[in-house]
Amino acid sequence: MFLFSSKAPRLSVHEARDRTSGERPESVLLDVREKPEWRAGHAPYALHAPLTELAAGGALPASARGRALVVICRSGHRSRQAAKLLVERGADAVDVEGGMNAWAAAGYPVVDERGNSGSTA
């Protein structure tokens, strides 16, 4: 289990969306939930890298390497772990407070693996 500093930076879903959307986003939105959760629903432009794979030494998706990362999960717990792990590996990573639950509650789009309306469950 990871220990966290209360001073570790966290983003709101609004800040996360601002940093990761648009024609030239400054950061990559990285979803660290497991495959069934990802398939059920994720942000349309997010990349997927499950925390279990990252913790086992797995690599980031090629298009995320060397980029600033905004890490998201369902509620914010796993993304906080993943951000800490990624920072320890030298990445520029912050997590999203409230995760995909807060994302959906803010009215931001969630799509399933086929691009249809998805859920955060």
Side-chain angles (χ1 to χ4, degrees), residues 10 22 28 30 50 53 63 76-77 81-83 97 101-103 105 114 118:
R10 302 190 85 188
V28 171
L30 185 70
E53 292 178 17
S63 57
H77 180 72
Q81 292 177 3
E97 193 167 13
N101 289 338
W103 181 275
R114 293 184 177 100

Side-chain angles (χ1 to χ4, degrees), residues 49-71:
L51 175 58
T52 53
E53 292 178 17
L54 292 172
L60 287 169
S63 57
R65 295 178 197 151
R67 305 259 331 263
L69 305 170
V70 172
V71 186

Side-chain angles (χ1 to χ4, degrees), residues 9-86:
R10 302 190 85 188
L11 299 179
S12 71
V13 292
H14 308 295
E15 293 168 316
R17 185 167 187 259
D18 288 347
R19 287 191 188 187
T20 61
S21 63
E23 281 190 39
R24 301 180 104 181
E26 66 181 80
S27 301
V28 171
L29 186 62
L30 185 70
D31 192 318
V32 296
R33 295 174 300 150
E34 296 304 312
K35 289 177 186 175
E37 295 170 290
W38 168 262
R39 286 191 294 261
H42 55 273
Y45 48 84
L47 298 178
H48 186 226
L51 175 58
T52 53
E53 292 178 17
L54 292 172
L60 287 169
S63 57
R65 295 178 197 151
R67 305 259 331 263
L69 305 170
V70 172
V71 186
I72 196 165
C73 66
R74 182 177 54 84
S75 65
H77 180 72
R78 286 175 286 178
S79 61
R80 199 163 192 193
Q81 292 177 3
K84 182 179 186 316
L85 174 74
L86 291 165

